[in-house]
Amino acid sequence: MVIEVGARAPDFELRDQHGTPFRLSAHRGGRVVLIFYPLAFSGVCGGELDAVRDEFLPALPGDVTVATVSVDSIFAHRAWADRQGYDFPLLSDFWPHGQAARAYGVLDEENGVAGRGTFVVDGEGVVRWRVVNPVSKARDVAEYLRALAELP
C-alpha cells in the first residue's frame, strides 16, 4: 500500500553514491523530494534523472533537498553518477533489500525493484504530495515544481 498524503514519512538512513549516510529526519525544517526509481543504467530512469539534473535542480527553492532511491548498490550508483554528472544523492536501498521502498509502498516485490514513486515531505516529516507511475511510464519533473509551488 502506497503511503498516503498526510501520513508521517517513514524515516530511513541509506548511503549515497559516495558512501555518505543520508537520514531523512536529518532534513527536518526543509522540504525533501524523494524520487524512487527501478534501476540505474536503464533508459526511462536515465531520462528521468537527466531531467532532475537539467530541469528540476536549477529551478528548486533553497529549502528543498532532492534524494533519489533505488535498490542498486552504492558502487553502481557511483559509476552511474560519475558517467551522467549526477551530483545529487543517489541512495542505495540495496540491503536490507528494498527496505525504504517497501516502507513507502513502492517496492515491486515480484521483480525486486522500486517502482516510480515520488514523494514531497514537508519540514515536519509529513508526506504532502505524491505521484506513482507504472515502471514503464516516466514522471514529469514539471509536476514536482508545481507541487512544491502549491505547498507551504
Side-chain angles (χ1 to χ4, degrees), residues 106 116-120 129-133 139-140 143-144:
V106 294
R116 292 193 193 286
T118 302
F119 302 87
V120 174
W129 182 85
R130 74 174 190 191
V131 62
V132 179
N133 283 3
R139 293 157 289 184
D140 182 358
E143 287 183 49
Y144 307 170

Side-chain angles (χ1 to χ4, degrees), residues 32 40-41 43 70 75 80 88 91 95 113 116-117 124 129 139:
V32 177
F41 296 102
S70 82
F75 308 106
W80 200 33
F88 47 88
L91 304 178
W95 197 258
V113 298
R116 292 193 193 286
E124 299 300 315
W129 182 85
R139 293 157 289 184

Side-chain angles (χ1 to χ4, degrees), residues 1-3 10 36 93 96-109 112 114:
M1 185 68 110
V2 178
I3 192 160
F36 289 88
D93 198 11
H97 189 79
Q99 181 176 18
R102 187 175 290 112
Y104 281 80
V106 294
L107 183 66
D108 177 342
E109 298 280 356

Side-chain angles (χ1 to χ4, degrees), residues 56-132:
F56 187 53
L57 290 177
L60 276 183
D63 72 325
V64 177
T65 299
V66 173
T68 66
V69 183
S70 82
V71 298
D72 294 294
S73 71
I74 293 168
F75 308 106
H77 282 161
R78 178 66 185 263
W80 200 33
D82 288 351
R83 186 177 98 175
Q84 297 301 117
Y86 300 148
D87 60 1
F88 47 88
L90 277 67
L91 304 178
S92 176
D93 198 11
F94 184 76
W95 197 258
H97 189 79
Q99 181 176 18
R102 187 175 290 112
Y104 281 80
V106 294
L107 183 66
D108 177 342
E109 298 280 356
E110 184 176 323
N111 295 305
V113 298
R116 292 193 193 286
T118 302
F119 302 87
V120 174
V121 179
D122 72 11
E124 299 300 315
V126 175
V127 175
R128 293 297 176 194
W129 182 85
R130 74 174 190 191
V131 62
V132 179

Side-chain angles (χ1 to χ4, degrees), residues 47-62:
E48 285 187 321
L49 269 60
D50 287 353
V52 166
R53 178 196 61 211
D54 299 339
E55 301 166 34
F56 187 53
L57 290 177
L60 276 183

